[in-house]
């Protein structure tokens, strides 16, 4: 690096940095435009996006994908916050499941083992996140409880779950959970996976909400006590709303991290977006076109994650009082 | 209060431990698999992710193969309809967990019967549906004509298979070394072999015919004739439900008995009026063998009518791939297949 | 009083689950206990740092897996740290091109799931030529779709290891870069200006004045990224690299003893995470007062 910001020095460094990047960029562009076999996308895009869902009914998963933009938009627009946002999320998730499954109003029934692709990724990430939030809140308060036993249990649980790879948790859900349950209680594998994700997210989100709780001034707690509110009332009515508000940008980050982590279900045999992409090239004809398919899938994830990140940034800016 | 806290906590914990240990663990109340399957309305069958001749999807999304026929036979026996099956494709690594967790009712996935699997994993293998052995496929150009010549080479196979153990044993016994390349999904493993990632691919010798067929240039591939191990293949179920074990066993035996009695899907209708006591027992005209299993008395009849006998299953699935029936012929035709009669 | 109730409920639940598991294992005839570790494994592992053959014990297989995971994680952490610091500093460069390239890197890499990056690298490496005609992109480097050899054969890695190493390093570096950028940006600008006014070069100012003050902000999230490398190494199961998770899986398939094997694996990951977190804090915390 130049010791002074001198003109020729800056240009030289620019060129040194730019040259390999330009070369790589040129090679990639040449590959993308000339060598790459994009036919695999044209042939298999339906399978990658929607899994084995019957082609005639694929308008249903398509609608489900678009539907999720609604509650996300509401969450990001801070001005619209209210209990309604939570209701919007729950309503969207329920509608998604119902629409995908069908079996009413003339919609043919489609069993959940053929659901796949983007709708599965969206439904899995949002549903487990919604289930995890209450647990995360309980854990966060529990970790700060005056009762040492509760504090120890919550802390131990959070550290335990955060220390184990998510893949290991998913394997445990597939293999160990059925061993621990009586024969009369059989939990469908899909539900087990959703619950496992919820358990994982809750441990991480508990730390995020916890940071928000810590940020609420102690004076507020004292004032609440002076007004005669019980600890539980204080927690729910005074501390919680502020904690969630303050931690929302970090919560969105956690959601984005988990959105990317849904790809791990591919390892336990589910056909989320990545799993479907991976299976699309298993067909003998397209076996060598993995790079094209993965680049296509990466673009989809990239766009979605970027949108989520932008939403989070918008929220953060709004919190500072600057109009977004 | 503080002084009381710790001993009180210990007492509470001890009491709860005692209470928990006394909880009637629900193992006693176990719903029979047959009832569960009947209530659900279809059989959940675990198959492979695509092994030609044993379990593979055709272009129209229909499953075909020897293992698929076993599941269809069970469905025919239980429901009277061989189409009431839902197939779950499973890699070798995931198949046992799926059976143990109750995700599937029967695993029909060219699985080799072994001591460990029978004894340690809680499974029962009701019947052998195909006698096989581990063998190798190599590019013809390599000039390799026997497994011994694979010393020092790279070999592809799927993890969690008996192939993995057989190959390891063979090389160790003969003082040879090899580099393993393990790829979970069968199609990816064969794709890696076609791409030259490894010098040879190992699996059951009957499955190699399909591997050769799907190669970009089949004429450039050579299946080595030597098998390095015994591999009796058969469906697997959880051993706790003996009635279910018997249903699966006798569904497989029914197909073989049919071939023994000369009954096929074409001739089974005429057999209803036969005077031969063995045939009358088979089709359910006499005795109550079906109800003894909890099934309809036409259980074996339906199996043969809708799925066929063991020879038809072979000719439909494996003969087109060029697989020799060899020791899988009936004992009276020179093979080693010999099963009890329905009597 | 509430505490006693909570403790009682938790203890009761744990015992009930344990009892039910024991009943189920007995009913299925699955063995229990750690005796399986002494038995021979019966499967092969690709050659690595720990010499292993199929007649060796399950315990040795586990050790081989642990060594593989440790090696992958250690190299990944070091590379990600070095790359991340460089990119993070580059993000704040006054040269627009450099800052822009660094920003592009971070924005692209962070938004693609790590498993996808691993599979993509594996797919790219599969396109390398056959063993007969290696590709020589640089002197001393020979690449085929079976092995990548560097330094004239002194360093040889499998394509699976290379894909995991590349993806983990590049992915984690992007996050570390953001931490570094955030930490440096948190140092009051006056500090850097004062250092420059005192005649220090930009690099020296960065090294002696800015970075030490930025470290307390950078380290906590970066420690979590290091732990993340260890946990993400378990994705090796997806591409057939014999890490701890992969070998645990195969052992469970062969012996059926899921509870014991999983417990051992979980114990290792927890210990490794705590060890890395503690040692990093010790290395960087004591000096700079974290």
């Amino acid at each position: 690096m130049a010791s002074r910001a001198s003109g020729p020095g800056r240009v030289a460094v620019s060129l040194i940095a730019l040259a390999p990047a330009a070369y790589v960029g040129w090679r990639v562009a040449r590959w993308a435009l000339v060598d790459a076999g994009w036919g695999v996308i044209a042939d298999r895009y339906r399978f990658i996006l929607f899994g084995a869902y019957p082609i005639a009914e694929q308008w249903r998963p398509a609608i489900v994908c678009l539907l999720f933009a609604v509650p996300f938009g509401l969450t990001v627009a801070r001005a619209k916050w209210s209990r309604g946002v939570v209701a919007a999320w729950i309503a969207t998730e329920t509608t998604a499941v119902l629409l995908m499954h069908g079996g009413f109003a003339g919609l043919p029934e489609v069993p959940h083992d053929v659901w796949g692709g983007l709708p599965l990724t969206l439904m899995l990430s949002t549903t487990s996140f919604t289930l995890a939030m209450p647990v995360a809140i309980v854990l966060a308060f529990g970790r700060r409880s005056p009762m040492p036993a509760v504090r120890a249990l919550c802390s131990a649980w959070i550290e335990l779950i955060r220390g184990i790879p998510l893949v290991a948790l998913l394997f445990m859900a597939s293999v160990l959970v059925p061993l621990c349950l009586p024969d009369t209680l059989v939990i469908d594998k899909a539900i087990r996976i959703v619950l496992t994700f919820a358990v994982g997210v809750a441990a991480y989100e508990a730390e995020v909400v916890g940071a928000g709780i810590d940020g609420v001034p102690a004076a507020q707690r004292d004032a609440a006590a002076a007004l005669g509110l019980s600890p539980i009332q204080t927690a729910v009515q005074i501390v919680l709303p502020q904690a969630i508000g303050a931690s929302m940008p970090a919560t969105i980050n956690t959601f984005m991290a988990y959105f990317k982590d849904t790809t791990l279900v591919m390892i336990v045999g589910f056909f989320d977006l990545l799993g479907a992409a991976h299976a699309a090239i298993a067909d003998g004809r397209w076996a060598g076109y993995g790079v094209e398919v993965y680049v296509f899938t990466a673009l989809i994830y990239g766009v979605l994650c970027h949108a989520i990140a932008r939403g989070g940034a918008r929220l953060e800016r709004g919190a500072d009082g600057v109009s977004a | 209060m503080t002084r009381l806290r710790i001993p009180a906590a210990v007492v509470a914990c001890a009491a709860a431990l005692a209470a928990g240990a006394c909880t009637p663990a629900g193992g006693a109340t176990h719903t029979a698999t047959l009832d569960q399957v009947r209530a659900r309305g279809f059989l959940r069958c675990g198959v492979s992710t695509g092994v030609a001749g044993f379990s593979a999807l055709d272009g129209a999304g229909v499953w075909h193969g020897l293992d698929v026929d076993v599941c269809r036979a069970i469905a025919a026996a239980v429901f009277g309809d061989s189409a009431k099956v839902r197939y779950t494709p499973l890699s070798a690594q995931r198949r046992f967990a799926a059976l143990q967790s109750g995700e599937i009712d029967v695993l029909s996935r060219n699985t080799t019967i072994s001591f460990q699997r029978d004894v340690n994993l809680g499974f029962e293998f009701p019947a052998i549906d195909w006698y096989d052995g581990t063998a190798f496929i190599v590019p013809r150009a390599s000039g390799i004509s026997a497994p011994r010549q694979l010393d020092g080479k790279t070999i592809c196979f799927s993890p969690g298979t008996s192939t993995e153990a057989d190959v390891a044993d063979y090389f160790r016994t003969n003082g040879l070394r090899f580099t393993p390349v393990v790829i979970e999904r069968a199609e990816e493993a064969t794709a890696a072999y076609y791409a030259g990632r490894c010098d040879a691919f190992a699996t059951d010798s009957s499955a190699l015919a399909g591997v050769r067929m799907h190669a970009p240039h089949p004429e450039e591939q050579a299946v080595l004739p030597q098998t390095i191990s015994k591999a009796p293949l058969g469906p697997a179920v959880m051993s706790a439900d003996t009635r279910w074990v018997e249903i699966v066993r006798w569904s497989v035996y029914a197909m073989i008995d049919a071939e023994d009695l000369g009954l096929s899907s074409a001739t089974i209708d005429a057999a209803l009026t036969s005077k031969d006591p063995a045939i009358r027992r088979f089709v359910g005209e006499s005795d109550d063998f079906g109800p003894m299993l909890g099934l309809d008395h036409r259980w074996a009849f339906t199996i043969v009518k809708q799925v066929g006998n063991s020879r038809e299953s072979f000719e439909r699935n494996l003969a087109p791939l060029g697989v020799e029936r060899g020791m899988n012929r009936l004992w009276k035709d020179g093979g080693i297949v010999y099963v009890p009669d329905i009597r | 009083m509430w505490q006693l109730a909570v403790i009682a409920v938790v203890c009761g639940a744990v015992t009930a689950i344990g009892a039910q598991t024991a009943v189920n294992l007995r009913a299925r005839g699955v063995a229990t206990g750690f005796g399986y570790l002494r038995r021979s494994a019966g499967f092969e592992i690709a050659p690595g740092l720990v010499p292993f053959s199929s007649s060796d014990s399950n315990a040795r297989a586990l050790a081989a897996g642990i060594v593989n995971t440790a090696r992958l994680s250690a190299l990944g952490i070091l590379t990600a740290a070095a790359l991340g610091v460089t990119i993070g500093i580059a993000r704040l460069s006054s040269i627009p091109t450099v800052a822009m390239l660094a920003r592009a890197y971070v924005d692209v890499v962070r938004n693609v799931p790590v498993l996808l990056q691993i599979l993509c690298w594996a797919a790219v490496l599969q396109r390398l030529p056959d063993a007969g005609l290696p590709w020589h992109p640089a002197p001393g480097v020979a690449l085929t779709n079976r092995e990548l050899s560097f330094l004239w054969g002194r360093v040889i890695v499998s394509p699976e290891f290379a894909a995991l190493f590349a993806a983990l390093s590049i992915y984690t570096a992007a996050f570390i870069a953001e931490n570094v950028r955030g930490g440096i940006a948190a140092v009051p600008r006056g500090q850097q200006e004062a250092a420059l006014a005192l005649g220090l070069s930009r690099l020296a100012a960065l090294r002696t004045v800015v970075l030490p003050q930025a470290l307390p902000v950078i380290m906590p999230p970066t420690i979590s990224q290091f732990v993340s490398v260890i946990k993400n190494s378990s994705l090796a199961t997806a591409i057939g690299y014999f890490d701890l998770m992969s070998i645990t899986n195969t052992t469970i398939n062969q012996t059926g003893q899921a509870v014991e094997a999983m417990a051992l694996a979980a114990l290792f990951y927890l210990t490794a995470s705590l060890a890395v977190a503690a040692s990093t804090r010790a290395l960087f915390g004591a000096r700079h007062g974290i």
Side-chain angles (χ1 to χ4, degrees), chain C residues 50 93 107-108:
Chain C
V50 175
S93 166
D107 275 345
V108 167

Side-chain angles (χ1 to χ4, degrees), chain C residues 65 68-69 233-237 241-248 269:
Chain C
N68 279 344
T69 296
S233 72
S234 62
L235 294 174
T237 30
Y241 179 67
F242 294 95
D243 78 316
L244 173 61
M245 203 69 235
S246 199
I247 288 182
T248 301
Y269 281 112

Side-chain angles (χ1 to χ4, degrees), chain B residues 164-165 168 171-172 176-180, chain C residues 36-68 242 247 250-251 254:
Chain B
E164 196 173 14
F171 277 75
R172 190 159 42 86
L176 310 169
R177 295 291 306 183
F178 75 102
T179 305
Chain C
Y36 76 95
L37 285 172
R38 274 189 298 260
R39 288 203 298 268
S40 98
F43 57 90
E44 278 287 347
I45 301 176
L49 280 179
V50 175
F52 183 84
S53 83
S54 57
S55 55
D56 289 325
S57 63
N58 279 308
R60 200 179 168 84
L62 201 64
I66 289 178
V67 166
N68 279 344
F242 294 95
I247 288 182
T250 308
T251 309
Q254 303 270 32

Side-chain angles (χ1 to χ4, degrees), chain A residues 56-106:
Chain A
E57 301 293 316
Q58 279 184 358
W59 58 272
R60 283 151 67 178
I63 290 188
V64 163
C65 293
L66 294 171
L67 213 53
F68 276 104
V70 171
F72 184 69
L74 286 177
T75 313
V76 163
R78 185 184 272 268
K80 295 279 184 294
W81 276 10
S82 64
R83 299 253 163 83
V85 175
V86 176
W89 276 110
I90 298 180
T92 314
E93 286 152 25
T94 325
T95 315
V97 171
L98 288 173
L99 190 57
M100 291 284 282
H101 190 262
F104 59 89

Side-chain angles (χ1 to χ4, degrees), chain A residues 10 13-14 18 31 147-149 160 162-163 165 167 171 175 179-182 204 260 263 274 288 292 298 305, chain C residues 3 20-21 24 94-95 97 110-111 113 115-116 119 127 171 175 231 234-235 245 249 258-259 262 269-270 273:
Chain A
R10 287 168 67 100
V13 174
S14 285
L18 208 48
W31 167 80
M147 299 187 263
L160 183 72
R162 283 169 60 114
V167 179
F171 279 133
V175 174
L179 275 181
C180 297
L181 299 173
Y204 283 87
K260 289 184 293 179
T263 49
L274 182 58
E292 286 86 348
C305 287
Chain C
Q3 280 197 90
Q20 180 67 63
T21 312
N24 283 348
S94 55
I95 305 174
T97 328
R110 278 199 320 170
N111 287 330
L115 182 55
L116 178 44
L119 290 174
R127 290 195 175 181
Y171 182 75
F175 287 88
K231 293 192 294 173
S234 62
L235 294 174
M245 203 69 235
N249 227 0
V259 177
M262 271 295 166
Y269 281 112
L270 278 171
S273 307

Side-chain angles (χ1 to χ4, degrees), chain B residues 212-287:
Chain B
R212 179 162 183 271
M213 203 179 70
H214 284 133
H217 302 283
E219 64 281 1
E220 290 173 13
Q221 306 291 340
V223 174
L224 296 183
Q226 304 90 342
T227 53
I228 59 171
S229 66
K230 291 188 294 203
L233 309 178
V237 293
M238 295 303 292
S239 54
D241 190 338
T242 45
R243 175 48 43 92
W244 186 243
V245 169
E246 287 159 1
I247 290 176
V248 173
R249 167 177 304 136
W250 285 98
S251 300
V252 174
Y253 285 178
M255 290 175 70
I256 301 170
D257 277 333
E259 184 187 345
D260 207 355
L261 290 170
L263 300 170
S264 71
S265 52
T267 63
I268 191 76
D269 281 320
L272 280 173
T273 51
S274 167
K275 297 277 192 298
D276 182 340
I279 295 181
R280 282 172 58 87
R281 279 191 295 270
F282 186 91
V283 298
E285 278 294 308
S286 70
D287 300 280

Side-chain angles (χ1 to χ4, degrees), chain C residues 179 182-184 186-187 212-222 290:
Chain C
N179 293 339
I184 293 181
V187 175
Q213 297 189 58
L215 268 177
V217 179
I218 296 177
M219 279 330 285
T222 304
I290 296 179

